[in-house]
């Protein structure tokens, strides 16, 4: 199994790391994602950020644009992957339930903590999930603009912004960071502001951010990229071995019931025979269309898609096929290369499903 894995890996090509955003409700997960998308709208297609199915694709060029204020300067030459693929559905319930077992979809996570609220129940649940899956993560100390008399500046490195605060603001900020650090310690995590981190291998980095003013967002992106390069490069080697997870099941006008998937590795082709979990047992069907949203400027009618013959990882993709009404989100999708593989894959999918159900019951 391992041998097969290694053989399939192309050592020259890294795929985009898949990034998830987690945290307690109202701490700003959606707003952080919005911030990325709004940049997109403002800059038109120039930045090259594209919204995909269930994910946002932030290419290297856009990363370079968004990290200009970072000091010491962050250069895109430091990374060997084509960009980041950020999952758009934070806290999708059925998804996080099913996902909590087995291999992780995300290569790295952003744990959003409202700096004025600190750790709350879902923050702690998220930490437990990340620990269990051994997913590396950074903490966005969000809503830093709410710190008493905070003077923001999204065009500056966040360390400089912190240092430039008047005494009241600085004291308030430091008190909150200290409090959150202690709470993280109680969860068994060493943590430090990213620019004071004594050992990134054993300390979680805290990045002050404001999803409203944009403070610290560049630092957050640069840090994620640096960490992905340092920690994950081998894991990010593109592999032809399919790794594909169903994110959502949706009915779309003109296509019937479709599934939105995140293709982490490998490729999907029109006409592929796929096997996936359904409420009444494994579903076997054939990909009728592989869809991705049209580039923003071409979208006149909401919900218009381009069709593809083949799509290569890592991407968010919509699949149209028959028999998808009873599909279940959160589990892997498999492709049968030959007819006789179908029965084996049905068993694999059934096993995935049973294990996931057991995991939910135990919880
Ligand atoms: P989610 O439930 O974690 O997705 O949180 P949202 O992104 O929906 O944010 C919850 C509320 O906090 C909304 O009213 C946001 O406008 C607000 N919010 C999010 N981020 C920030 C921030 O950085 N600063 C301030 N002042 N408000 C924020």
């Amino acid at each position: 199994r391992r041998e097969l894995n290694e053989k399939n890996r192309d050592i020259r090509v890294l795929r985009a790391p898949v990034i998830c955003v987690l945290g307690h409700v109202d701490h700003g997960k959606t707003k952080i994602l919005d911030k990325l998308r709004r940049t997109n709208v403002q800059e038109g297609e120039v930045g090259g950020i594209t919204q995909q199915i269930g994910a946002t694709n932030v290419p290297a060029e856009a990363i370079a644009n968004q990290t200009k204020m970072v000091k010491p300067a962050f250069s895109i030459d430091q990374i060997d992957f084509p960009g980041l693929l950020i999952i758009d559905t934070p806290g999708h319930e059925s998804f996080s339930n099913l996902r909590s077992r087995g291999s992780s979809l995300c290569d790295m996570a952003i744990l959003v903590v409202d700096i004025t609220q600190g750790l709350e129940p879902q923050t702690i649940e998220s930490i437990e999930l990340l620990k269990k899956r051994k997913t590396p993560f950074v903490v966005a100390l969000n809503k830093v603009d709410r710190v008493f008399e905070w003077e923001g500046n999204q065009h500056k490195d966040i360390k400089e912004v912190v240092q430039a605060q008047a005494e009241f603001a600085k004291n308030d900020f430091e008190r909150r960071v200290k409090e959150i650090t202690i709470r993280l310690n109680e969860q068994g995590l060493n943590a430090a502001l990213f620019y004071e981190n004594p050992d990134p291998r054993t300390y979680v980095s805290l990045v002050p951010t404001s999803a409203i003013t944009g403070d610290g967002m560049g630092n957050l992106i640069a840090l994620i990229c640096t960490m992905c390069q340092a920690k994950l490069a081998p894991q990010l080697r593109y592999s032809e071995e399919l790794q594909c997870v169903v994110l959502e099941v949706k009915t779309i006008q003109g296509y019937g019931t479709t599934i939105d998937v995140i293709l982490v590795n490998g490729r999907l082709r029109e006409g592929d025979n796929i096997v996936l979990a359904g409420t009444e047992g494994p579903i076997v069907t054939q990909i009728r269309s592989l869809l991705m949203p049209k580039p923003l400027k071409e979208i006149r009618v909401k919900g218009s898609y381009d069709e593809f013959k083949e799509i290569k990882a890592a991407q968010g993709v919509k699949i149209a096929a028959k028999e998808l009404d009873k599909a279940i989100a959160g589990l892997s999708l498999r492709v049968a290369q030959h007819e006789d593989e179908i029965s084996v894959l049905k068993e694999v999918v059934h096993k995935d499903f049973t294990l996931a159900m057991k995991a939910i019951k135990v919880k």
Side-chain angles (χ1 to χ4, degrees):
R1 173 73 198 245
R2 159 142 280 157
E3 237 176 278
L4 178 75
N5 244 324
E6 288 308 314
K7 227 186 279 168
N8 278 338
R9 284 189 187 279
D10 183 337
I11 50 166
R12 289 158 307 170
V13 189
L14 298 189
R15 63 173 171 82
V18 180
I19 313 292
C20 292
V21 181
L22 286 83
H24 193 79
V25 65
D26 276 351
H27 283 208
K29 298 179 293 294
T30 312
K31 213 72 196 174
I32 282 183
L33 288 161
D34 276 359
K35 187 81 196 156
L36 286 167
R37 291 194 204 104
R38 207 161 32 238
T39 312
N40 180 19
V41 175
Q42 278 164 3
E43 294 179 1
E45 294 294 304
V46 182
I49 300 174
T50 51
Q51 207 171 335
Q52 300 196 330
I53 303 293
T56 299
N57 186 5
V58 185
E61 188 194 350
I63 293 170
N65 272 335
Q66 289 184 300
T67 52
K68 277 183 186 145
M69 74 300 279
V70 172
K71 286 188 183 163
F74 171 80
S75 160
I76 209 66
D77 299 337
Q78 290 167 246
I79 62 168
D80 295 326
F81 45 84
L84 302 172
L85 189 66
I86 304 177
I87 303 282
D88 283 349
T89 44
H92 192 298
E93 193 150 339
S94 67
F95 183 55
S96 55
N97 266 336
L98 291 174
R99 209 175 36 167
S100 55
R101 71 157 282 278
S103 69
S104 167
L105 167 71
C106 291
D107 297 298
M108 178 161 293
I110 302 169
L111 177 65
V112 181
V113 177
D114 180 337
I115 192 167
T116 68
Q117 300 293 315
L119 271 60
E120 295 201 70
Q122 286 165 283
T123 324
I124 291 164
E125 264 177 43
S126 302
I127 291 172
E128 279 165 7
L129 213 62
L130 292 168
K131 274 195 197 160
K132 202 159 78 185
R133 291 195 235 133
K134 299 193 170 63
T135 308
F137 65 99
V138 295
V139 173
L141 289 180
N142 195 39
K143 307 198 187 182
V144 71
D145 59 290
R146 292 242 179 107
V147 164
F148 187 65
E149 290 188 344
W150 179 263
E151 292 285 340
N153 188 341
Q154 60 168 318
H155 304 295
K156 283 211 158 141
D157 186 280
I158 193 69
K159 181 182 174 186
E160 291 180 352
V161 177
V162 170
Q163 284 167 346
Q165 298 303 314
E167 201 173 336
F168 269 148
K170 207 182 273 173
N171 288 343
D172 189 32
F173 172 79
E174 279 167 6
R175 184 179 59 78
R176 292 177 191 279
V177 171
K178 201 176 208 173
E179 171 71 21
I180 290 172
T181 305
I182 292 168
R183 295 277 97 82
L184 287 169
N185 292 159
E186 288 167 4
Q187 297 303 313
L189 297 170
N190 291 321
L193 283 167
F194 74 101
Y195 49 82
E196 293 171 351
N197 191 332
D199 180 6
R201 281 169 309 178
T202 54
Y203 278 69
V204 174
S205 285
L206 313 176
V207 187
T209 60
S210 168
I212 299 281
T213 65
D215 286 12
M217 292 297 293
N219 290 94
L220 180 65
I221 296 171
L223 182 65
I224 290 167
C225 289
T226 316
M227 280 176 71
C228 284
Q229 185 67 37
K231 283 196 173 195
L232 300 175
Q235 175 179 327
L236 297 177
R237 279 182 211 149
Y238 172 77
S239 166
E240 283 294 348
E241 193 171 294
L242 185 77
Q243 200 185 344
C244 181
V245 179
V246 179
L247 213 56
E248 279 198 79
V249 183
K250 272 189 200 156
T251 306
I252 301 288
Q253 208 178 7
Y255 292 101
T257 307
T258 64
I259 47 172
D260 294 352
V261 303
I262 297 294
L263 178 61
V264 182
N265 262 310
R267 55 185 94 209
L268 292 170
R269 297 180 184 89
E270 196 185 276
D272 273 350
N273 288 308
I274 56 173
V275 187
L276 67 156
T279 49
E280 286 168 19
I283 298 167
V284 181
T285 184
Q286 196 178 34
I287 296 180
R288 190 172 56 197
S289 310
L290 285 173
L291 306 164
M292 300 236 276
K294 284 191 191 301
L296 270 184
K297 60 185 172 200
E298 289 175 32
I299 296 184
R300 298 216 170 71
V301 189
K302 198 172 168 260
S304 48
Y305 300 95
D306 280 330
E307 296 198 11
F308 293 82
K309 289 279 172 228
E310 180 178 299
I311 293 177
K312 196 177 159 189
Q315 307 275 6
V317 184
K318 183 184 280 297
I319 297 177
K322 287 179 182 162
E323 319 288 343
L324 291 176
D325 317 16
K326 300 201 168 67
I328 302 175
L331 293 168
S332 291
L333 173 147
R334 320 270 168 170
V335 170
Q337 304 298 342
H338 313 282
E339 284 284 313
D340 46 5
E341 229 184 332
I342 290 176
S343 59
V344 180
L345 291 181
K346 276 170 81 173
E347 271 171 47
V348 173
V349 165
H350 179 69
K351 207 167 148 198
D352 278 355
F353 176 74
T354 318
L355 285 171
M357 286 300 140
K358 237 185 231 162
I360 291 170
K361 272 187 201 130
V362 169
K363 215 175 149 193

